[in-house]
Amino acid sequence: MATELTDFKPQLGSNSEVQNFSVAAAEGPQHARQNPNNPMPNRMMGSSNESTFQINQSGGNQKDNFCPEVQPTNKSSADSAFGCFRSACGCQYNPNTDKLEYDYTYDDTAPGSKPQPLPRIRQRGEYYVDSYNGDSFNCSFGTNEEAGIWMNSGDQAGTIMAALVWLLMIYSAMTVTSLTITEGIPPILGMIYTLLVGLALSSHAKTSLTDPGSVPKNAVPMESQRRDSTSHSMCGQCQTFKPPMSHHCRICNRCVSRMDHHCPWMNNCVGAANLKHFFLFLFYTWTCAAYALTLFGWNYFFCADEDCTFHPVVVHLVRVMTVLCVGAFLFTSSMLMNVTYGLITGIGTIDRLKKKATDTMGHSDEEPIALKDVFGIEGYHTWFLPIDPIFDDYDRVMGYSSPQRLAREQQLMEQKRPQIPEIPHTASSELPTCINNYLPV
């Protein structure tokens, strides 16, 4: 039974809900997706047995991605148009067909309650939403697994630097607004800058308050890792499995999958789950700086008539903001090149520094990071929005799996009401027998 299960990790959702993506067994669905309404990073799963299952990277039901002329005749024109639109925008996620619609909190034994019907078994190549909520419901902040909201509160310097980012961005928006009120620039230009500032601050908040990809205590190697290697790394601090390309952050006190670095301006680590938000923050901050410098330069060099007189207070605000914009432009340009280099080479900042220190950069065998592993597969129109990405293969992106999800999927495919077993955590390098029982062999 366990050998037929895919090797996936369930989605950790918010305090109130979780939308997980799971992939079914050999005779059933093969993929997993996550509901885009989840405020936490979306976690998609991939196949655990590559020799038996071939991941459909295009996602969802294949016929949904075709244009109307190749759609089945029983499809309505609206559905055909929607399918063609999804194909054009690169959307590989269809919430209308991917939802599991199963309530794990429903009590079948309550008086007068009817048995909850189990969801249909997905066909090979289809996705479904695993709606099990495995997150903590505690209204607490922290970086441990018991905290309900991810927030690094142990670094006072990082907290001050993150607050300073908000202060400077708000200051810049107020300066441009003042310039607009005094008719220094057209109102539409001021509105555009305010919108860019709002997107930058939203991306900053998502980066700071999003789990960067912390490795849970119940993390286990994927089936492909177990097959290709006889030994696996363990974190000496967390005493858990340490996925490839992950690092232990001493500030967050957690291992983070595909960790790039700990950013004090974000007061959080930058990892696989929040790299999109970090990249968007850099992009929008760079755009704000370039846009503001263009506005100021235009007024300074090309506005020479008598109408180009500004209030003295606004003049001083613009001078200070000009210095800030120059510094922000240079810093974000450097960081954008750093992130882009990491995506192209597949080597994060920490790994790159280690390789340079040991002079092993020429021996690197890392693969480039696909854009869908950063921005998700929900469509190109979501790439520029600070919303959580939907990964087509969460286990592959994060580098680990979960025995609880495997057990839940096994029971679901057996048409049984899933009962999540309590699998104890072990501090040794050997996986306990109860975990091995749920792993594919």
Side-chain angles (χ1 to χ4, degrees):
M1 302 300 291
T3 59
E4 295 181 349
L5 294 176
T6 52
D7 190 12
F8 302 135
K9 166 73 176 66
Q11 163 67 25
L12 301 180
S14 65
N15 294 335
S16 60
E17 63 177 348
V18 156
Q19 295 83 17
N20 303 330
F21 289 100
S22 295
V23 178
E27 302 301 328
Q30 200 175 0
H31 303 332
R33 299 195 168 188
Q34 174 159 353
N35 192 310
N37 296 325
N38 186 6
M40 297 297 288
N42 292 338
R43 304 182 175 188
M44 302 283 304
M45 283 62 68
S47 172
S48 65
N49 190 343
E50 288 79 353
S51 61
T52 304
F53 310 110
Q54 297 299 321
I55 294 300
N56 177 2
Q57 297 293 352
S58 61
N61 196 335
Q62 290 297 301
K63 61 185 179 183
D64 289 338
N65 291 330
F66 292 113
C67 287
E69 60 269 20
V70 295
Q71 285 281 351
T73 57
N74 60 346
K75 286 282 187 179
S76 65
S77 58
D79 292 340
S80 299
F82 179 69
C84 194
F85 170 77
R86 290 179 59 251
S87 177
C89 71
C91 181
Q92 302 175 15
Y93 166 71
N94 188 353
N96 295 328
T97 58
D98 294 347
K99 290 183 179 179
L100 183 63
E101 296 180 348
Y102 183 81
D103 185 8
Y104 280 86
T105 63
Y106 182 79
D107 188 6
D108 292 335
T109 62
S113 63
K114 297 181 180 179
Q116 180 182 192
L118 290 172
R120 69 176 178 86
I121 300 300
R122 263 55 173 180
Q123 298 300 319
R124 188 176 180 85
E126 287 188 287
Y127 291 82
Y128 72 86
V129 178
D130 185 352
S131 54
Y132 175 73
N133 188 351
D135 254 3
S136 171
F137 282 82
N138 294 331
C139 185
S140 58
F141 299 87
T143 59
N144 53 62
E145 292 191 45
E146 291 73 25
I149 301 176
W150 179 275
M151 175 180 287
N152 178 25
S153 57
D155 183 16
Q156 290 76 16
T159 303
I160 295 174
M161 295 176 70
L164 185 61
V165 171
W166 278 72
L167 181 63
L168 295 178
M169 294 296 290
I170 294 175
Y171 168 81
S172 68
M174 292 178 60
T175 300
V176 174
T177 302
S178 300
L179 193 60
T180 304
I181 294 175
T182 57
E183 299 182 354
I185 59 175
I188 185 62
L189 298 181
M191 294 174 61
I192 293 175
Y193 183 82
T194 304
L195 175 62
L196 292 174
V197 170
L199 290 171
L201 291 179
S202 299
S203 301
H204 184 276
K206 288 294 293 182
T207 307
S208 300
L209 301 178
T210 296
D211 185 341
S214 61
V215 182
K217 295 180 180 179
N218 63 353
V220 293
M222 296 185 298
E223 193 270 342
S224 58
Q225 296 170 339
R226 291 161 56 86
R227 183 182 64 243
D228 298 337
S229 178
T230 58
S231 61
H232 306 283
S233 300
M234 301 289 292
C235 177
Q237 301 292 329
C238 300
Q239 291 297 306
T240 58
F241 168 65
K242 189 175 183 180
M245 299 178 65
S246 65
H247 298 278
H248 183 88
C249 177
R250 292 175 293 179
I251 299 177
C252 295
N253 197 29
R254 294 291 297 274
C255 280
V256 178
S257 294
R258 212 172 70 198
M259 178 178 174
D260 187 83
H261 67 286
H262 182 94
C263 180
W265 298 103
M266 303 292 110
N267 194 29
N268 196 8
C269 288
V270 177
N274 66 349
L275 180 59
K276 172 190 174 182
H277 307 313
F278 180 70
F279 184 87
L280 288 181
F281 170 76
L282 295 175
F283 172 76
Y284 286 124
T285 303
W286 182 91
T287 305
C288 285
Y291 185 79
L293 291 174
T294 302
L295 290 179
F296 299 160
W298 179 271
N299 280 276
Y300 183 82
F301 292 105
F302 298 99
C303 189
D305 54 32
E306 60 182 9
D307 295 332
C308 293
T309 57
F310 305 100
H311 194 279
V313 175
V314 176
V315 172
H316 290 296
L317 292 175
V318 169
R319 288 173 178 172
V320 174
M321 183 176 170
T322 301
V323 176
L324 295 176
C325 287
V326 171
F329 181 83
L330 296 177
F331 179 74
T332 53
S333 297
S334 174
M335 290 302 301
L336 282 172
M337 290 187 291
N338 182 72
V339 173
T340 303
Y341 181 82
L343 295 177
I344 295 175
T345 61
I347 306 175
T349 302
I350 296 178
D351 292 323
R352 184 162 65 251
L353 293 176
K354 288 184 176 180
K355 290 179 179 293
K356 287 184 177 179
T358 57
D359 196 21
T360 57
M361 282 293 293
H363 305 285
S364 302
D365 56 355
E366 288 82 359
E367 296 291 334
I369 299 177
L371 291 180
K372 67 179 181 178
D373 292 343
V374 178
F375 298 97
I377 60 172
E378 198 175 2
Y380 303 133
H381 60 287
T382 65
W383 285 21
F384 299 96
L385 300 177
I387 58 178
D388 295 320
I390 297 178
F391 300 129
D392 67 336
D393 190 338
Y394 177 76
D395 280 9
R396 176 179 55 80
V397 174
M398 297 297 167
Y400 63 84
S401 185
S402 165
Q404 283 87 347
R405 197 210 58 76
L406 295 176
R408 185 167 64 253
E409 183 178 85
Q410 178 184 10
Q411 296 167 351
L412 181 64
M413 298 308 298
E414 292 175 348
Q415 293 289 297
K416 298 179 181 178
R417 180 176 175 83
Q419 300 292 332
I420 310 304
E422 292 293 335
I423 300 180
H425 170 63
T426 177
S428 67
S429 59
E430 296 294 332
L431 295 176
T433 304
C434 56
I435 290 183
N436 280 311
N437 290 339
Y438 287 104
L439 291 176
V441 294

